[in-house]
Amino acid sequence: MVMQKLAAKEEMTEVECGLAQYILNHVDDVVHMTAREVGQAAYTSASSVLRLCRKVGFNSFSEFKLKLAAEYNDEYMKKNVDANVPFKKEDTTKEIVDNMVRIYTQSVHSARDAINYNELEKIVKVIEKRKNIDIYGQGSSLLSASSFSNKMLRIGYTVQSVADLSSQFYLSLNSDETHCAIIISHSGATREGIHVARLLKKRRIPIIAITSKRDSELAKIADYIMCTETGEKDFLIEKMELFQSQIAVYYLLDCLYTVIYSKHYEQNMILSKENERLIKIYRNS
């Protein structure tokens, strides 16, 4: 470990110890600097920087920086952030930006680790067979689905989503054997989502639930589950925003789209290109 060797300062001169400490205190900057710039910043020389690199096991400063950057990035990402309150009033702009990177990373990793690949394959087969996808949710849940809807439309699927509850009831009542449903609910306990799920269940429409908990009421009604496994609380009043759950939903829907696309890769590639060509002709006419 480079950072451990720098911190240990074994067999280093006084100048090298000072240089090692400077590097440890400014890793974020050092990985973008030259040996000469590091030497000047630490009140020493480029040759001292190169000697230190060799002392910790590297033949060049470039090789040293690559390892240092990779190691620092690993340590940086291991720092967990509270998904409910990812930044505080006193945080600097850089701290806020860095914490948002961690939130994105935590969200994707949690959702990936929760994927049941056998279940995902079953979901893909259901969607391939049905071709008509109805998406249900409230507020930010539907915003998360907009990108997925657009992508699926490009490869020949019909995707519908409506915002108000009464329209969602009508949508569920008009579903038939050519339809499947995706219900997005972080808590899996919203009254509206449960009502719609029960209506769809009665009509024998396959239900895919995207939710944070596998034991939620929605998950128990659904036929298939994609779990976000986020650490956010269920209600907005208890947290700052739906940062982590939204990111996880985007990720899971992108995974679903790409797996569906890959099943008929060449066909979908041709269809996508042809659709783009026709749209361009239409726009230029």
Side-chain angles (χ1 to χ4, degrees):
M1 297 283 284
V2 183
M3 294 171 73
Q4 283 184 352
K5 289 179 179 179
L6 291 173
K9 299 182 177 67
E10 292 179 2
E11 299 181 7
M12 290 186 189
T13 65
E14 186 176 343
V15 170
E16 288 168 347
C17 286
L19 179 56
Q21 194 58 53
Y22 173 83
I23 292 171
L24 288 170
N25 292 342
H26 302 87
V27 175
D28 221 3
D29 297 319
V30 169
V31 294
H32 301 292
M33 297 165 73
T34 64
R36 183 177 180 181
E37 288 169 339
V38 173
Q40 288 176 340
Y43 303 102
T44 182
S45 63
S47 58
S48 295
V49 174
L50 294 173
R51 278 196 297 272
L52 178 63
C53 290
R54 286 192 286 270
K55 193 161 281 189
V56 294
F58 297 93
N59 295 321
S60 68
F61 183 60
S62 296
E63 186 184 351
F64 168 80
K65 280 200 305 181
L66 283 172
K67 182 63 177 176
L68 180 66
E71 206 172 279
Y72 177 70
N73 189 58
D74 285 345
E75 291 297 318
Y76 170 86
M77 287 304 176
K78 284 177 184 175
K79 296 179 181 177
N80 283 331
V81 179
D82 183 355
N84 301 295
V85 186
F87 55 89
K88 302 179 182 66
K89 180 181 177 180
E90 63 271 17
D91 285 350
T92 65
T93 299
K94 185 179 185 304
E95 286 172 332
I96 292 170
V97 170
D98 286 350
N99 282 348
M100 291 311 296
V101 171
R102 293 188 184 105
I103 283 289
Y104 270 67
T105 305
Q106 286 172 206
S107 304
V108 171
H109 283 186
S110 295
R112 180 204 60 192
D113 292 345
I115 290 174
N116 180 315
Y117 294 98
N118 290 330
E119 183 107 332
L120 180 56
E121 289 287 347
K122 290 177 183 177
I123 292 169
V124 169
K125 286 178 181 177
V126 167
I127 292 175
E128 284 182 313
K129 182 180 178 181
R130 302 276 170 156
K131 285 291 184 179
N132 292 298
I133 309 167
D134 301 326
I135 302 179
Y136 300 87
Q138 295 293 312
S140 59
S141 296
L142 291 181
L143 290 175
S144 303
S146 60
S147 175
F148 173 76
S149 300
N150 188 44
K151 293 185 181 92
M152 294 299 289
L153 285 167
R154 292 181 184 182
I155 57 172
Y157 288 81
T158 301
V159 184
Q160 296 185 82
S161 62
V162 288
D164 64 283
L165 183 58
S166 60
S167 295
Q168 290 192 10
F169 282 141
Y170 287 124
L171 184 60
S172 62
L173 289 170
N174 289 317
S175 296
D176 58 27
E177 67 277 0
T178 67
H179 289 244
C180 62
I182 296 176
I183 303 179
I184 305 170
S185 172
H186 171 67
S187 68
T190 57
R191 185 176 63 179
E192 297 84 359
I194 299 304
H195 284 334
V196 166
R198 286 174 178 159
L199 271 172
L200 291 165
K201 196 74 173 180
K202 285 181 180 179
R203 300 186 63 80
R204 298 183 180 179
I205 306 300
I207 302 169
I208 302 154
I210 300 181
T211 183
S212 65
K213 299 180 180 72
R214 289 189 177 276
D215 60 352
S216 67
E217 190 172 354
L218 174 61
K220 290 173 183 176
I221 298 170
D223 301 288
Y224 309 96
I225 305 164
M226 296 185 76
C227 198
T228 61
E229 288 287 353
T230 61
E232 286 181 319
K233 294 179 180 178
D234 288 343
F235 301 104
L236 193 55
I237 195 170
E238 299 175 291
K239 58 190 172 186
M240 190 173 289
E241 245 310 335
L242 295 164
F243 291 119
Q244 199 168 31
S245 56
Q246 281 185 359
I247 295 161
V249 170
Y250 273 114
Y251 168 72
L252 289 175
L253 288 173
D254 273 346
C255 287
L256 185 55
Y257 163 74
T258 50
V259 174
I260 290 169
Y261 193 113
S262 71
K263 297 296 182 182
H264 306 280
Y265 186 87
E266 293 177 356
Q267 176 185 325
N268 286 327
M269 184 71 76
I270 292 168
L271 182 59
S272 296
K273 289 180 178 178
E274 179 63 12
N275 286 340
E276 289 299 317
R277 186 186 70 81
L278 293 172
I279 289 171
K280 183 178 280 189
I281 290 171
Y282 173 76
R283 285 174 176 168
N284 293 333
S285 61

